[in-house]
């Protein structure tokens, strides 16, 4: 298989599943979506429709023949499927249970990919019957807008399966990044290093949430969206990096636990958009308005970034 599989299945359709499905459908795949929860399936149908309108706004290439169906029957979702993406919650025991269920319903040569945010692939594959066909496929949120996917083979993954996944990712127009297995993979190791420092700066009262967002969006995000970090080092100079890291690295937050400010917010029911309060408070309708602003910003930025030379 060197192109997009004709029939694909997404298992778990919460935050990530619908956008993943919309991306594959746009590229011409027949996608079946299964979720254990009827409520989640209903929400997924509208999220899928919304993601499809976002793909229209992007003017991304569209291949005819794509279709989607939502089902409460996992056997129906997997029947005839050539490619399966697992996107259930980030709990290793649940994922292992779902993988066993999937393996019981597909042929041995069907590729099973996981969208885990960073659980090592080898640990997840521990009790699989055919771990050679299992591979990490980490999409970034929102999956229909961020055109990069980390491809992570585990110790037992067949090289041919990894190669096929790289080709599949290219077939729907995304950038595959092949990595060696490490907890958190590359993207979340970098993101969580940034977020750890951000939360520490907030906790210490060094900056407000608004100030932090302005500093990181314009000072770091804008720049890094055009210039990758290794090129940035070339631009700044190794002598500067050595001079600054020499006094700064030992000052950076190095805590190994989830910060108290975050666990306190969770205890107070402040989860962010999903509870209409987190780092910021949201009045009626404000979460939807923010979501729309984020999508509009990402669509505009992706169009611009796609049209310029990448450095
Ligand atoms: N949310 C993100 O920003 C993000 C980004 C990249 C990767 N991920 C990863 O993707 C995976 C899914 O994350 P999410 O944010 O979409 O989670 P989510 O909680 O929003 O959705 C998970 C869905 O799985 C369903 N589910 C639970 N048990 C199931 C089962 N046994 N069979 C079928 N469906 C089941 C739930 O009903 C829910 O709808 C996780 O591994 C997560 O770490 C998340
Ligand atoms: C906070 C956070 N954690 C994990 C992920 C992905 O695995 C994301 C993301 O994709 O945006 C995230 O924002």
């Amino acid at each position: 298989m060197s192109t997009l599989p004709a029939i694909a299945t997404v298992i778990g359709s919460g935050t990530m599943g619908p956008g993943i499905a919309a991306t594959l459908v746009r590229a011409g795949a027949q996608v079946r979506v299964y979720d254990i929860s009827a409520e989640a399936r209903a929400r997924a149908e509208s999220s899928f429709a919304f993601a499809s309108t976002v793909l229209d706004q992007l003017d991304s290439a569209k291949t005819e023949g794509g279709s989607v169906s939502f089902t409460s029957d996992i056997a129906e979702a997997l029947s005839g499927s050539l490619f399966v993406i697992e996107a259930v919650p980030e709990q290793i025991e649940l994922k292992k249970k779902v993988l066993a269920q999937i393996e019981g319903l597909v042929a041995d040569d069907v590729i099973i990919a996981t969208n885990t945010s960073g659980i090592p692939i080898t640990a997840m594959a521990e009790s699989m019957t055919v771990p050679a066909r299992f591979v990490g496929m980490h999409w970034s949120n929102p999956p229909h807008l961020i055109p990069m996917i980390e491809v992570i083979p585990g110790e037992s993954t067949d090289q041919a399966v990894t190669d096929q996944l790289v080709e599949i990712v290219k077939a729907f127009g995304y950038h595959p990044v092949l990595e060696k297995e490490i907890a958190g993979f590359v993207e979340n190791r970098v993101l969580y290093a940034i977020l750890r420092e951000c939360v520490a700066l907030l906790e210490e009262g060094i900056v407000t949430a608004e100030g932090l967002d302005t500093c990181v969006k314009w000072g770091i995000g804008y720049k890094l969206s055009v210039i990758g970090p290794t090129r940035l080092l070339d631009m700044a100079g190794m002598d500067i990096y050595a001079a600054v890291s020499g006094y700064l690295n030992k000052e950076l937050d190095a805590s190994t636990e989830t910060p108290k400010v975050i666990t306190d917010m969770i205890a107070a029911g402040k989860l962010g958009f999903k509870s209409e309060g987190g780092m910021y408070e949201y009045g009626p309708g404000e979460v939807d308005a923010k979501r729309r602003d984020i999508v509009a910003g990402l669509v505009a930025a992706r169009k611009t970034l796609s049209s310029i030379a990448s450095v």
Side-chain angles (χ1 to χ4, degrees):
M1 188 197 307
S2 62
T3 51
L4 193 70
I7 307 178
T9 303
V10 178
I11 303 287
S13 61
T15 303
M16 298 298 287
I20 293 173
T23 306
L24 299 179
V25 169
R26 180 99 184 171
Q30 295 163 46
V31 181
R32 286 86 169 272
V33 180
Y34 166 76
D35 196 291
I36 199 166
S37 147
E39 196 190 327
R41 285 195 304 277
R43 251 184 290 118
E45 292 200 30
S46 54
S47 304
F48 173 89
F50 180 64
S52 304
T53 64
V54 171
L55 291 173
D56 289 339
Q57 290 168 47
L58 263 184
D59 300 323
S60 62
K62 186 174 185 177
T63 303
E64 293 310 315
S67 65
V68 69
S69 60
F70 295 84
T71 175
S72 57
D73 180 349
I74 188 167
E76 182 185 311
L78 291 168
S79 163
S81 186
L82 302 167
F83 179 53
V84 183
I85 303 173
E86 170 277 306
V88 303
E90 190 78 342
Q91 298 153 21
I92 186 160
E93 290 312 320
L94 172 65
K95 285 188 183 284
K96 282 180 167 178
K97 201 183 91 188
V98 169
L99 289 173
Q101 229 183 329
I102 296 168
E103 277 204 304
L105 291 164
V106 297
D108 284 357
D109 59 349
V110 169
I111 297 179
I112 304 177
T114 174
N115 187 42
T116 176
S117 290
I119 300 172
I121 304 305
T122 305
M124 274 179 70
E126 212 170 61
S127 29
M128 288 183 74
T129 47
V130 190
R133 48 73 167 273
F134 182 59
V135 61
M137 182 189 198
H138 182 227
W139 300 63
S140 198
N141 188 28
H144 48 290
L145 273 168
I146 312 294
M148 184 284 303
I149 288 180
E150 295 175 281
V151 173
I152 314 103
E155 280 169 19
S156 306
T157 311
D158 248 11
Q159 184 62 48
V161 168
T162 305
D163 295 345
Q164 280 177 50
L165 183 56
V166 165
E167 292 309 315
I168 288 170
V169 171
K170 287 183 190 165
F172 57 83
Y174 274 34
H175 304 283
V177 177
L178 183 60
E179 298 170 10
K180 289 189 183 145
E181 181 171 48
I182 187 168
F185 313 141
V186 172
E187 187 192 13
N188 277 334
R189 288 180 85 92
V190 175
L191 177 62
Y192 277 72
I194 293 173
L195 292 179
R196 177 167 64 182
E197 188 57 34
C198 287
V199 175
L201 291 168
L202 286 176
E203 213 164 15
E204 289 167 30
I206 305 293
V207 67
T208 62
E210 291 84 354
L212 180 65
D213 281 354
T214 301
C215 178
V216 175
K217 275 196 309 186
W218 283 112
I220 301 170
Y222 167 53
K223 198 155 54 188
L224 285 181
S225 70
V226 177
I227 315 158
T230 50
R231 189 85 60 196
L232 183 67
L233 281 172
D234 279 352
M235 195 170 96
M238 302 314 150
D239 48 338
I240 293 299
Y241 181 74
V244 177
S245 61
Y247 64 79
L248 185 56
N249 282 6
K250 55 180 164 293
E251 302 290 333
L252 298 175
D253 187 61
S255 52
T256 55
E257 305 298 323
T258 302
K260 184 171 176 328
V261 65
I262 300 291
T263 52
D264 284 352
M265 284 170 81
I266 294 171
K270 287 174 164 292
L271 300 181
F273 280 1
K274 60 186 97 172
S275 65
E276 304 198 325
M279 292 287 176
Y280 297 95
E281 289 304 318
Y282 303 96
E286 274 189 82
V287 166
D288 284 344
K290 285 289 168 215
R291 284 193 203 279
R292 280 195 298 274
D293 288 349
I294 288 169
V295 167
L298 288 173
V299 167
R302 182 162 151 191
K303 283 184 173 175
T304 302
L305 290 170
S306 302
S307 70
I308 59 174
S310 149
V311 284

